[in-house]
Amino acid sequence: MTSSLLPASRFYQRWLAAAPGRQAKVDALAQLSLANVDLAELLATERKHGELPLGRGMRRLRNLLIATLIRRDLEGKADLAEVVETVTRLADFAIREHLAEVDAELRAAHGVPTGAESGQPQELMVLAMGKQGGGELNVSSDIDLIFVYPEDGETVPTAPGQRVLSNHEYFIRLGKKLIAAIAEITEDGFTFRVDMALRPNGGSGPLAASLGMVEQYLIVQGREWERYAWVKARAVTGRPEDIAALEQIVRPFCFRRYLDFGVIDAIRSMHAQIRAEVNRQERLHPDRSNNVKLGRGGIREIEFLAQVFQLIRGGRDPSLRDRSTRATLRQLPDKGLLEADIVQRLLDSYTFLRNLEHRLQYLDDAQTHTLPPNPDDQLAIAHMMGLPDVPTLLARLDAHRQFVAGQFDAMFADKSGGEEGIEPETSNECADPDNREAIEARFAALRYADPAAAANRLIATWQAPRLQSLPEASRNRLVALVNAALPLIARADEENAAGDQLATLGRLLDFLEAIARRSAYLSLLTEYPHTLQRVITMMHASRWAATFLSQHPILLDELLDDRIRNAVFDPAALAADLDAQLAAAKGDTERQLDILREVHHAQLFHLLAQDLAGDLTVEKLADHLSALADVIVAAVVKCVWATVATRHREVPKFAVIAYGKLGGKELGYVSDLDVIFLFDDEDQDAPGNYAKLAQRFITWMTSHTSAGILFDIDVALRPDGASGMLVSSVQAFERYQQNSAWVWEHQALTRARFCAGDAEIGEQFEKIRCQVLRKERDAAELRREVLAMRKRMHEAHPSRGEQFDLKQDEGGMIDIEFIVQYLVLRHSAQYRELTGNIGNIALLKLCGSLGLIDAALAGGTADAYRAMRKLQHQLRLQGQDQSRVDPSRVEQHAAKVTALWQAMFGDAESQQSA
């Protein structure tokens, strides 16, 4: 663009023509980026270094900056960012400068406003709302402000004759003077128009409110639309401690601690009201169509698209609380919330629409958002946009608006009917527990195997006490969801013969009862119908999944898109993300506990979805679950150490050693963690501090919070067991293992590994472990000890009934584990590779290849272990705690295990029995 476009701005031409020196000022200033220009220096020049009052100087500065922005923008030297940032900086600057002046005047007349409780001087907080709050103010915008003062009290005179005012009256007067200073039209124009309508109670409320008044208002009367306004609230003035106190009030009002999908319907309603008003205005004034701000596909719809993600997730993700629309949009792809190409197109549309808005305002410095009716003005606007004619402008505008409107509809269109899997005709007959005949007929029509039983189950839900007093809106959503779910359950059963309609129906109804009072979750399932389909699929496949989802309904968010199926588990990335989240909540133990649980449950849920879809083997799943536990353990150690007030070093010389399933990387969904704690630190405070660390570690892991529990912790394998110290030095652990440990403790050591904490201690532990396992042992004595321990376990878990216990019975998994442990302890002195922590299956095959056992029996036993683990896993997915199956399902596998057991221990077992 060139200066030939400048005549299109009548404001620019009028302003230049009014005084001969203005052209030179603009020529000089237009060579600089205005985003970083020194406003104080420019103001001093405009005031002729104090000759003119502040009000006149500020207005002259404003006109100079707007004229220069028009020049730079139309010449292609300034982008949208420079324009909006400059105007925002000017607004902030004007507020601060004028407030300082009028406050000094009032203090001279009335003294210093002082808090009644604190006794501290009070300062006014001027809150910038809307686009100023977001740093995106347009060139002819008004500014939306709210005035807040810290606490009530009265002024304290500082000179004779000063008249005492209450703080309330003082700050109202101060606010009025500030508005007049900025907004009054004088011979030099105005600085900014000021709108105070967003303050508590709007036009009927006091001009200034105390923090206490703001808190009371937001808690008791704050309306849904005010949440969207307060998201952008930014304090331009005020003391840091007062601003922090205000943040503590505003944050929970704007951002819910749970995922707030109810905002979609609320924004939809608010947008409908805005659209209705725009349509009314366009009917009254047909020549004022194409409202680029409030019209269909306009700027406001892009702002709503960004803001809905903030309001849904901002309570859990602080990074989504940015006040800028553009900054918020740019974050969405990295968080998997919106595709990168869609975000880029939204940003392109936002830039186009905002640039067009500015050119509409460049004509006459008017606060307008609609295309002018005059054809010549329309052509001027097209040329300012770099387009040849009006039809091209309208076509380009229409393309952007259609795209924005399409994205808006995808997010906000009412999805309660007509979507795939949701029947548009939903009948309330199924919601009437007294109309059993209609309910049963509905199940029969859907081809349920037992319509009567299904009807009984649904009626029991409608009669459940927690559903009796549901708000009408929630009950209507629940009815719609049940009506949508019934055919989906029938379809799931047809597609998977292994399922059970009645069981799936019961699981889903239990889940809906559990979330019925949380309208946000009902809204999520209503707004995203495919999520309901995914919930039913999981519940049909796994009773355990249904229970887990009912306990942690916040995980519904993970089912929104295909991330849950396609996500590749990355422990390093997870650890970095978790560390960042925990750091952001530093000092807030309750929030950190919840973050740990939310992150763990979300990752667990991802793995569960992939598991149920058949994407993971049992071994791969166990590897991932074990790595996930390692990440959580490491994060908890770091967080807990920060809470030890007496800690003597910043990074503890402390390590967590994993045993059992975690040690062998065979963790399941609900496994507890067998761990011990080691330290290597000569400081006199070390034993006491590390004992505190271990105790708090256990508390953080096992505490039940609103987000659930992490893991049960078992520390029985520490040296000397229950009678031993909770934390051992590396040296004490080594002495115990070399001199005092029982054989069964060395058996346990075969599956132990460093889990988290100080890596050097981990290396020392591994060295000790290998030394102990590689000791020469008397074969006969080792057999006797191993068999004696196995006998004690049999006696503690006798075989019961006709079913086969996959873990405890002869030929089961514990027999296999004892075989491997014996082989490691017996032969590691000769074959050092046996001390590798490679898992039971790999160790069996290694022993076969080394000729320590029959290779065929080794392979068969390894296959048996894999098959039994898979069976055990399937049972747990169905919510069965006991690992019992019909013997015929494992008969061949158990026979191979028994054959290997007899080959290794048969003679010794006979002698021991004798």
Side-chain angles (χ1 to χ4, degrees):
M1 297 187 192
T2 67
S3 297
S4 63
L5 296 173
L6 290 173
S9 171
R10 291 185 285 268
F11 164 78
Y12 182 83
Q13 297 303 321
R14 285 196 304 268
W15 184 78
L16 280 186
R22 290 178 177 175
Q23 182 70 61
K25 284 185 178 181
V26 172
D27 288 345
L29 194 56
Q31 305 309 309
L32 307 172
S33 169
L34 299 185
N36 300 308
V37 74
D38 189 334
L39 297 179
E41 183 179 322
L42 288 176
L43 175 63
T45 301
E46 291 303 305
R47 292 185 68 185
K48 300 180 180 179
H49 299 283
E51 290 183 22
L52 291 180
L54 176 61
R56 292 198 66 186
M58 193 67 75
R59 283 157 175 75
R60 291 185 174 200
L61 172 61
R62 182 263 181 193
N63 292 332
L64 172 62
L65 284 176
I66 297 301
T68 308
L69 277 175
I70 293 173
R71 167 87 169 266
R72 283 182 57 78
D73 192 358
L74 295 183
E75 290 181 348
K77 295 177 181 177
D79 60 8
L80 176 63
E82 180 179 327
V83 174
V84 297
E85 288 166 17
T86 301
V87 181
T88 302
R89 285 184 66 228
L90 174 63
D92 291 356
F93 178 71
I95 288 168
R96 294 188 185 108
E97 292 294 311
H98 281 298
L99 181 63
E101 181 176 81
V102 296
D103 194 27
E105 293 172 3
L106 266 184
R107 290 185 182 221
H110 301 287
V112 179
T114 304
E117 291 187 16
S118 68
Q120 295 296 311
Q122 304 288 287
E123 294 183 14
L124 182 67
M125 285 179 279
V126 178
L127 306 185
M129 311 293 283
K131 286 187 171 64
Q132 184 187 357
E136 295 170 330
L137 206 56
N138 62 51
V139 291
S140 295
S141 177
D142 58 4
I143 54 177
D144 296 285
L145 303 179
I146 293 177
F147 300 146
V148 181
Y149 58 92
E151 58 178 302
D152 288 316
E154 60 183 22
T155 58
V156 175
T158 56
Q162 291 179 329
R163 179 167 159 264
V164 173
L165 295 178
S166 70
N167 286 356
H168 187 62
E169 178 62 24
Y170 180 93
F171 287 114
I172 286 176
R173 291 190 185 191
L174 183 61
K176 288 178 179 178
K177 284 180 173 289
L178 178 61
I179 293 169
I182 294 172
E184 279 186 355
I185 298 175
T186 70
E187 60 186 293
D188 297 294
F190 61 90
T191 304
F192 285 97
R193 307 171 192 90
V194 177
D195 190 334
M196 300 295 298
L198 292 177
R199 69 185 187 268
N201 289 308
S204 63
L207 193 65
S210 68
L211 276 176
M213 293 166 65
V214 171
E215 182 173 28
Q216 179 71 8
Y217 176 81
L218 294 182
I219 291 173
V220 177
Q221 300 179 57
R223 289 157 291 182
E224 197 68 29
W225 68 264
E226 288 178 290
R227 291 178 60 200
Y228 319 129
W230 280 86
V231 163
K232 290 188 178 292
R234 176 173 59 85
V236 177
T237 67
R239 297 180 304 182
E241 60 268 31
D242 296 332
I243 296 171
L246 178 66
E247 283 282 317
Q248 293 298 316
I249 294 170
V250 173
R251 188 181 303 122
F253 172 68
C254 292
F255 303 110
R256 308 296 192 242
R257 293 191 69 170
Y258 51 86
L259 290 169
D260 188 10
F261 286 89
V263 302
I264 295 177
D265 190 48
I267 290 181
R268 182 189 297 128
S269 300
M270 185 169 68
H271 178 261
Q273 294 172 9
I274 294 172
R275 289 292 304 124
E277 177 59 21
V278 171
N279 290 339
R280 189 182 72 83
Q281 291 292 334
E282 290 182 350
R283 284 195 302 272
L284 291 173
H285 308 283
D287 58 338
R288 298 182 191 171
S289 60
N290 284 315
N291 188 316
V292 300
K293 177 181 178 181
L294 301 178
R296 182 83 169 121
I299 295 165
R300 181 54 52 84
E301 289 192 356
I302 300 176
E303 291 172 338
F304 279 161
L305 278 165
Q307 212 158 31
V308 71
F309 291 108
Q310 290 184 293
L311 292 168
I312 289 173
R313 302 169 187 279
R316 294 179 64 200
D317 188 347
S319 66
L320 282 172
R321 298 174 191 166
D322 198 292
R323 299 176 179 92
S324 162
T325 296
R326 292 167 299 155
T328 298
L329 285 171
R330 291 185 187 112
Q331 290 193 65
L332 301 181
D334 290 342
K335 297 180 181 297
L337 300 176
L338 213 56
E339 295 296 327
D341 60 329
I342 291 176
V343 167
Q344 187 55 56
R345 291 187 65 185
L346 284 172
L347 287 167
D348 292 344
S349 294
Y350 183 82
T351 301
F352 179 89
L353 293 168
R354 289 301 305 272
N355 283 335
L356 177 56
E357 176 186 48
H358 286 152
R359 281 146 183 75
L360 297 174
Q361 295 170 352
Y362 289 165
L363 287 175
D364 292 300
D365 191 22
Q367 189 183 6
T368 181
H369 309 284
T370 59
L371 287 179
N374 185 315
D376 290 338
D377 285 348
Q378 291 180 0
L379 184 59
I381 296 295
H383 288 164
M384 282 194 279
M385 289 295 291
L387 301 173
D389 49 44
V390 175
T392 304
L393 170 66
L394 293 176
R396 191 76 60 85
L397 173 60
D398 187 57
H400 282 291
R401 291 177 63 174
Q402 282 193 26
F403 173 72
V404 172
Q407 294 304 310
F408 185 89
D409 287 347
M411 173 63 69
F412 293 103
D414 190 345
K415 308 180 186 73
S416 59
E419 294 280 326
E420 180 183 353
I422 293 191
E423 297 188 338
E425 295 181 7
T426 56
S427 168
N428 283 330
E429 290 181 350
C430 283
D432 181 4
D434 295 326
N435 196 347
R436 178 183 296 273
E437 185 177 337
I439 294 175
E440 192 169 330
R442 171 77 167 146
F443 282 113
L446 290 170
R447 299 183 180 179
Y448 274 65
D450 191 342
N456 288 338
R457 182 63 188 82
L458 181 55
I459 289 169
T461 289
W462 295 134
Q463 293 175 337
R466 71 174 68 185
L467 266 60
Q468 297 303 305
S469 57
L470 275 184
E472 184 179 359
S474 294
R475 183 172 177 82
N476 289 341
R477 283 198 187 101
L478 194 59
V479 170
L481 288 171
V482 169
N483 274 304
L486 298 185
L488 296 178
I489 293 172
R491 191 182 309 164
D493 193 67
E494 292 171 4
E495 294 170 355
N496 182 2
D500 181 337
Q501 286 175 334
L502 196 57
T504 306
L505 176 65
R507 293 167 189 170
L508 180 69
L509 293 176
D510 285 342
F511 170 69
L512 293 176
E513 282 185 45
I515 67 168
R517 293 192 173 278
R518 298 294 291 273
S519 61
Y521 296 136
L522 296 179
S523 296
L524 186 157
L525 292 170
T526 304
E527 299 293 345
Y528 299 95
H530 64 277
T531 304
L532 178 63
Q533 171 72 71
R534 290 172 176 172
V535 167
I536 290 170
T537 299
M538 292 189 79
M539 291 185 170
H540 191 69
S542 169
R543 178 182 169 190
W544 187 85
T547 301
F548 189 66
L549 192 55
S550 296
Q551 291 171 340
H552 309 290
I554 199 170
L555 295 171
L556 281 173
D557 176 49
E558 305 299 326
L559 291 172
L560 284 180
D561 56 39
D562 290 330
R563 286 175 297 163
I564 194 166
R565 276 288 309 275
N566 302 329
V568 177
F569 181 65
D570 184 345
L574 174 65
D577 177 62
L578 180 56
D579 189 58
Q581 290 192 51
L582 291 168
K586 186 177 180 180
D588 186 348
T589 297
E590 181 181 353
R591 181 63 194 134
Q592 287 184 323
L593 287 170
D594 282 347
I595 287 170
L596 287 160
R597 284 150 178 77
E598 289 164 4
V599 168
H600 177 251
H601 294 154
Q603 290 297 321
L604 197 65
F605 199 57
H606 283 192
L607 296 173
L608 174 62
Q610 294 172 6
D611 179 20
L612 293 176
D615 297 339
L616 298 174
T617 64
V618 173
E619 291 90 339
K620 181 59 71 175
L621 173 66
D623 285 344
H624 289 338
L625 290 173
S626 301
L628 172 58
D630 288 355
V631 170
I632 297 296
V633 169
V636 171
V637 168
K638 183 176 180 180
C639 282
V640 169
W641 183 243
T643 71
V644 178
T646 57
R647 63 186 182 277
H648 55 287
R649 57 168 65 241
E650 279 309 303
V651 179
K653 298 285 287 181
F654 175 93
V656 180
I657 306 300
Y659 279 75
K661 284 187 168 58
L662 179 59
K665 297 184 180 179
E666 294 178 352
L667 212 60
Y669 289 121
V670 289
S671 300
D672 58 3
L673 305 186
D674 294 286
V675 297
I676 67 167
F677 307 110
L678 300 180
F679 72 92
D680 186 19
D681 194 331
E682 296 297 327
D683 193 284
Q684 63 179 9
D685 294 328
N689 282 336
Y690 293 138
K692 289 178 185 175
L693 172 54
Q695 289 163 349
R696 292 183 190 178
F697 171 89
I698 294 170
T699 300
W700 276 51
M701 283 288 198
T702 59
S703 292
H704 285 267
T705 74
S706 59
I709 188 175
L710 280 172
F711 296 97
D712 283 322
I713 302 294
D714 191 335
V715 293
L717 288 171
R718 67 187 187 270
D720 291 316
S723 63
M725 300 289 287
L726 185 59
V727 183
S728 298
S729 70
V730 172
Q731 296 76 17
F733 176 78
E734 181 175 17
R735 286 195 300 272
Y736 179 82
Q737 290 293 337
Q738 295 285 4
N739 305 318
S740 307
W742 297 85
V743 170
W744 66 266
E745 291 178 287
H746 288 172
Q747 287 179 245
L749 200 60
T750 64
R751 288 158 62 87
R753 65 180 177 85
F754 167 70
C755 172
D758 186 277
E760 289 183 6
I761 298 177
E763 291 173 5
Q764 292 179 64
F765 165 77
E766 184 59 23
K767 184 178 178 181
I768 295 166
R769 174 181 173 273
C770 290
Q771 287 174 349
V772 170
L773 296 182
R774 292 169 183 169
K775 288 172 65 175
E776 290 282 356
R777 288 177 171 82
D778 180 87
E781 179 62 25
L782 178 62
R783 276 198 192 90
R784 282 195 296 274
E785 291 287 347
V786 168
L787 290 172
M789 175 53 67
R790 186 68 188 102
K791 183 179 179 183
R792 285 196 291 273
M793 292 185 71
H794 272 306
E795 291 170 349
H797 301 277
S799 182
R800 297 191 300 272
E802 299 296 323
Q803 297 220 311
F804 181 84
D805 188 321
L806 292 170
K807 285 179 62 178
Q808 301 290 347
D809 281 354
E810 292 182 9
M813 294 167 66
I814 290 180
D815 275 3
I816 299 172
E817 291 166 3
F818 268 57
I819 288 170
V820 172
Q821 291 162 11
Y822 170 80
L823 289 168
V824 170
L825 293 175
R826 173 69 182 84
H827 298 288
S828 289
Q830 183 177 359
Y831 301 102
R832 300 168 70 86
E833 60 266 44
L834 289 175
T835 57
N837 196 316
I838 57 176
N840 289 312
I841 292 173
L843 283 169
L844 279 166
K845 291 181 177 179
L846 177 59
C847 289
S849 67
L850 292 172
L852 304 178
I853 52 176
D854 180 83
L857 274 180
T861 302
D863 292 341
Y865 192 68
R866 180 181 291 110
M868 290 182 192
R869 281 186 64 190
K870 188 173 182 179
L871 270 174
Q872 183 186 52
H873 179 65
Q874 290 169 350
L875 291 171
R876 287 180 175 170
L877 282 178
Q878 295 310 317
Q880 297 183 28
D881 294 331
Q882 299 298 324
S883 301
R884 297 183 182 277
V885 297
D886 187 285
S888 62
R889 298 182 67 181
V890 292
E891 190 172 2
Q892 291 182 335
H893 293 305
K896 292 175 183 176
V897 177
T898 302
L900 180 55
W901 183 275
Q902 288 297 321
M904 291 176 57
F905 300 119
D907 293 341
E909 208 165 19
S910 300
Q911 294 172 9
Q912 201 157 330
S913 299

